[in-house]
């Protein structure tokens, strides 16, 4: 049975759930109002799954707090591990190469992965990201520069991109 610890961290955009393993690596990060989705994503790759309350490493908590206080590079020090298909693994690793303050379209991300026609697969893998924020799926936007879906809600995505100083269009063109 996979033993995972769940901690909670207050942020300016809601309570974050931090899921860590016995080695102190981040395995999941989502928002308390989306706890069911996080549990579903974790169960897919951690069967059997036994979450229990427990503290995340203090260095991880400090890095997340620093991010919300304006130190946008602080998330890079967080050790993480996400389990998924080889394509998901590649996509999630690619997300970490999008610098704070910048965005990338789904199509550009697919091309970066060497699969320019895999835009839908990129969207699906992005949506299955169990480690929100640290694997910055919020930095992926539509090809027209508009905000697109975000598991934590568009209001959070908008806040995160503004916090990072990223340019985006508020609405999609009709």
């Amino acid at each position: 049975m996979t033993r995972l610890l769940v901690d909670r961290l207050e942020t300016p955009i809601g309570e974050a759930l931090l899921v860590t393993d016995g080695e102190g690596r981040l395995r999941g990060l989502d928002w308390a109002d989306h706890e069911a989705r996080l549990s579903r994503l974790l169960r897919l790759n951690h069967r059997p799954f036994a979450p229990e309350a427990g503290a995340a490493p203090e260095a991880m908590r400090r890095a997340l707090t620093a991010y919300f206080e304006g130190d946008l590079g602080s998330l890079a020090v967080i050790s993480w591990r996400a389990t998924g298909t080889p394509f998901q693994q590649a996509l999630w690793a690619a997300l970490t190469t999008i610098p704070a303050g910048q965005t990338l379209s789904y199509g550009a991300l697919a091309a970066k992965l060497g699969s320019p026609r895999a835009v839908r697969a990129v969207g699906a893998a992005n949506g299955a990201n169990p480690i929100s924020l640290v694997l910055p799926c919020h930095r992926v936007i539509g090809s027209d520069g508009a905000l697109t879906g975000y598991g934590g809600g568009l209001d959070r995505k908008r806040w995160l991109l503004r916090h990072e100083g990223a340019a985006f269009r508020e609405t999609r063109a009709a």
Side-chain angles (χ1 to χ4, degrees):
M1 179 170 300
T2 304
R3 182 174 179 252
L4 298 174
L5 302 176
V6 181
D7 197 0
R8 296 172 181 271
L9 179 71
E10 286 299 325
T11 78
I13 54 175
E15 185 179 52
L17 301 174
L18 312 176
V19 180
T20 56
D21 62 21
E23 296 174 17
R25 294 176 297 196
L26 187 63
R27 293 299 198 102
L29 190 156
D30 211 332
W31 309 102
D33 55 336
H34 295 282
E35 189 167 358
R37 182 177 56 119
L38 176 62
S39 291
R40 186 180 69 252
L41 288 173
L42 291 170
R43 261 194 314 275
L44 285 173
N45 295 304
H46 302 287
R47 289 188 186 144
F49 172 63
E52 55 189 82
E58 190 56 37
M60 182 183 297
R61 293 178 61 85
R62 277 194 311 271
L64 287 160
T65 298
Y67 169 84
F68 284 106
E69 291 175 349
D71 181 0
L72 303 179
S74 67
L75 301 179
V77 303
I78 295 176
S79 175
W80 60 271
R81 181 166 183 234
T83 306
T85 67
F87 185 81
Q88 288 172 327
Q89 292 285 332
L91 180 276
W92 297 333
L95 290 174
T96 65
T97 68
I98 306 170
Q102 295 183 25
T103 59
L104 204 57
S105 72
Y106 290 91
L109 192 49
K112 186 175 187 170
L113 291 170
S115 302
R117 297 171 49 113
V119 175
R120 288 184 189 266
V122 164
N126 202 45
N129 173 11
I131 306 177
S132 177
L133 194 60
V134 174
L135 305 184
C137 52
H138 63 278
R139 296 179 189 153
V140 182
I141 61 174
S143 60
D144 62 356
L147 292 182
T148 55
Y150 177 63
L154 286 181
D155 286 341
R156 281 193 181 105
K157 183 171 187 165
R158 183 179 296 109
W159 190 96
L160 291 166
L161 291 175
R162 285 183 178 150
H163 177 64
E164 295 177 358
F168 61 90
R169 284 181 7 93
E170 193 59 44
T171 59
R172 294 191 68 99

